[in-house]
């Protein structure tokens, strides 16, 4: 089974509007972390936001917020007030405490295009 | 610039040739990771180091691939006898090692470089 599933290959949003990028995950480890990365065309993976499995509140970082629904195993990224510079690939990732050494499991990504 | 740096950024090579990529992690990070990313996919784990020790290798890392981190600082990833299927972006990342047991995570993320694009023709 896929550890991370991103079902939206591509999304469009009007500039200044909000957009939600979906992510569901699969783990039996009670301790895990969820991450979102942005990858512009240059290729660099840029860390955006983190949510821990025991965190009581949804994470927020500036215009980014993570809608964490633990029972549904979803960790959607919400970008508010979209900007043209937000156009990029967005990857959801997970890391399990039992697997602390090594792997981040990544989804296949969502391509976001911000329309002027 | 104190981020993760990778060199070269782009490499075109003929099938059968050897290629080597270098990664310089963030200086205070003791963990270093290599990932591979093909078009339309997310990064896939290849291997990671803690200091100079290579602690895990993915099944994706065939015997044509070798990674080293001789002094626990920079790392190299060598691909021998390249094949067209090796064409991908090779991403390096680094992080701190988490210490102790904790309920949940500290949010210790990994920080990526800009990647090295490999095209095998």
């Amino acid at each position: 089974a896929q550890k991370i599933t991103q079902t939206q290959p591509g999304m469009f949003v009007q500039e200044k509007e909000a957009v939600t990028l979906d992510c569901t995950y699969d783990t039996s480890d009670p301790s895990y972390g969820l991450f979102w990365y942005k990858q512009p065309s240059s290729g660099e993976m840029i860390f955006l936001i983190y949510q821990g499995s025991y965190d009581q509140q949804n994470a927020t970082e500036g215009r980014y917020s993570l809608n964490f629904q633990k029972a549904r195993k979803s960790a959607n990224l919400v970008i508010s007030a979209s900007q043209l510079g937000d156009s990029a690939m967005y990857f959801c990732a997970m890391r399990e405490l039992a697997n602390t050494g090594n792997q981040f499991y990544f989804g296949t990504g969502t391509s976001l295009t911000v329309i002027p | 610039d104190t981020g993760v740096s990778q060199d070269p950024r782009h490499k075109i090579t003929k099938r059968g040739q050897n290629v080597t990529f270098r990664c310089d992690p963030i200086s205070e990070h003791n963990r270093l990771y290599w990932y591979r990313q093909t078009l339309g996919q997310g990064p896939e784990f290849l291997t990671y180091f803690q200091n100079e020790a290579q602690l895990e290798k993915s099944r994706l890392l065939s015997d044509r691939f070798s990674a080293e981190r001789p002094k626990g600082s920079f790392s190299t990833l060598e691909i021998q006898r390249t094949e067209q299927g090796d064409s991908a972006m090779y991403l390096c990342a680094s992080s701190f090692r988490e210490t102790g047991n904790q309920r949940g995570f500290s949010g210790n993320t990994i920080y990526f470089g800009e990647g090295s694009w490999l095209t095998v023709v």
Side-chain angles (χ1 to χ4, degrees), chain A residues 66-79:
Chain A
L66 201 152
N67 183 2
F68 181 46
Q69 298 187 46
K70 195 170 182 177
R72 298 178 60 183
K73 293 189 174 179
S74 74
N76 298 340
L77 176 70
V78 180
I79 305 174

Side-chain angles (χ1 to χ4, degrees), chain B residues 4-5 12 21 32 40 50 58-59 80 83 85 93 98 100 111 116:
Chain B
V4 178
S5 63
I12 301 174
F21 300 110
L32 185 147
Q50 185 164 300
S58 161
R59 290 190 304 272
Q80 296 181 327
E83 302 172 356
E98 294 175 3
Y111 295 89
S116 292

Side-chain angles (χ1 to χ4, degrees), chain A residues 5-81:
Chain A
T5 302
Q6 295 180 256
T7 58
Q8 305 156 314
M11 291 283 287
F12 292 86
V13 64
Q14 203 74 36
E15 193 178 6
K16 300 180 184 177
E17 297 293 313
V19 63
T20 298
L21 306 183
D22 294 342
C23 172
T24 57
Y25 59 92
D26 181 31
T27 181
S28 56
D29 191 336
S31 296
Y32 52 90
L34 297 158
F35 303 78
W36 277 91
Y37 285 83
K38 172 184 178 182
Q39 188 177 43
S41 56
S42 62
E44 183 182 4
M45 297 283 283
I46 302 167
F47 167 68
L48 296 178
I49 194 167
Y50 160 81
Q51 179 85 43
S53 59
Y54 293 111
D55 292 345
Q56 296 297 310
Q57 294 187 332
N58 287 343
T60 60
E61 288 288 345
R63 295 187 298 111
Y64 304 109
S65 60
L66 201 152
N67 183 2
F68 181 46
Q69 298 187 46
K70 195 170 182 177
R72 298 178 60 183
K73 293 189 174 179
S74 74
N76 298 340
L77 176 70
V78 180
I79 305 174
S80 62

Side-chain angles (χ1 to χ4, degrees), chain B residues 3-75:
Chain B
V4 178
S5 63
Q6 294 187 242
D7 183 71
R9 293 293 317 281
H10 299 89
K11 179 73 176 179
I12 301 174
T13 190
K14 292 183 178 179
R15 189 174 53 187
Q17 297 294 306
N18 299 343
V19 296
T20 299
F21 300 110
R22 175 181 169 124
C23 171
D24 287 88
I26 295 171
S27 58
E28 59 267 31
H29 286 177
N30 51 14
R31 283 190 169 167
L32 185 147
Y33 308 78
W34 285 99
Y35 280 77
R36 182 177 73 182
Q37 186 178 18
T38 54
L39 284 176
Q41 299 296 318
E44 297 172 294
F45 171 77
L46 292 178
T47 188
Y48 96 100
F49 293 84
Q50 185 164 300
N51 300 313
E52 67 275 10
Q54 187 174 18
L55 297 185
E56 187 165 340
K57 295 192 290 186
S58 161
R59 290 190 304 272
L60 295 175
L61 210 68
S62 76
D63 56 6
R64 294 186 298 106
F65 288 69
S66 62
E68 295 182 344
R69 194 183 183 197
K71 297 182 179 179
S73 56
F74 73 92
S75 175

